Amino acid sequence: MDIFASMQRLGHEQLLLSHDPSCGYLGIIAIHDTTLGPALGGTRFWRYESTDAAVTDALRLARGMTYKAAVAGINLGGGKSVIVGDNTRVDREVLFRAHGRFIETLNGRYITAEDIGTSPADMEYIKLETDHVAGLLGLSGDPSPVTAYGVYVGMKAAAKHRWGSDSLAGKSVAVQGAGKVATSLCQYLHTEGVELTVTDIDGEKVKRLVAETGAKAVSPEAIYDQPADVYAPCALGATINDD
């Protein structure tokens, strides 16, 4: 992977890597654009297949955060961080405090929050080392329900544009992923009378969604072939691409 070529092609300002051997911490922070303000973006904790895959994900996600902030009209830029490893790890304090120290070296240029594999409790550990963190317990907390609601109303807006009505009743939606955002989204859709098809690499999460919403479960590979009015990619991302 030619890192500088990737940064130049996508317009990134910074890419930083950190290693703390005392706890096995491997972290990456990508900053895409700070024209409007400090970069905001969550911390993703995932077992990537390679360092290149982790860097690619961080760069892609940081760029997306720039656009989100700009569209929302808020004075923030786009950034993202990833921790490479097993997100089921139990001894999380040492890991997330190491991540907090890494963030603190940027002196407020990057602000983090939750993403896949992390929680408000993890943000509390980061807070012990830096003030540049959001999504704390008792404050903004877990952003997943709000994210899901944004996806839901976005679907309704798209439906009105496509079919002349924002009602989703009777429509079919294929949801890729069964995590926090997908679960809240499926609850909104189920309440409105949507026919749901769901998938996830975690079979237990799929079983729970099926029990709660009556959704049809399919394998991760089969989700792309399902007849549906709407496709909702709520997994790791980058599933809608040129291929």
Side-chain angles (χ1 to χ4, degrees), residues 59-143:
L59 292 173
R60 177 183 63 82
L61 293 166
R63 183 171 179 244
M65 290 303 298
T66 295
Y67 297 147
K68 287 182 183 180
V71 169
I74 55 179
N75 294 324
L76 291 168
K80 205 75 177 184
S81 60
V82 301
I83 299 174
V84 181
D86 180 5
N87 61 26
T88 64
R89 176 173 170 169
V90 176
D91 56 332
R92 300 174 80 86
E93 180 174 353
V94 290
L95 195 72
F96 282 92
R97 291 189 71 160
H99 192 53
R101 290 191 293 273
F102 183 25
I103 292 168
E104 180 65 12
T105 64
L106 290 171
N107 298 312
R109 185 168 162 78
Y110 168 67
I111 304 164
T112 197
E114 293 95 327
D115 196 80
I116 293 172
T118 62
S119 69
D122 296 325
M123 299 305 108
E124 293 292 334
Y125 292 137
I126 292 175
K127 182 68 168 62
L128 295 174
E129 303 290 346
T130 183
D131 288 331
H132 307 299
V133 56
L136 299 170
L137 293 169
L139 296 174
S140 57
D142 182 5

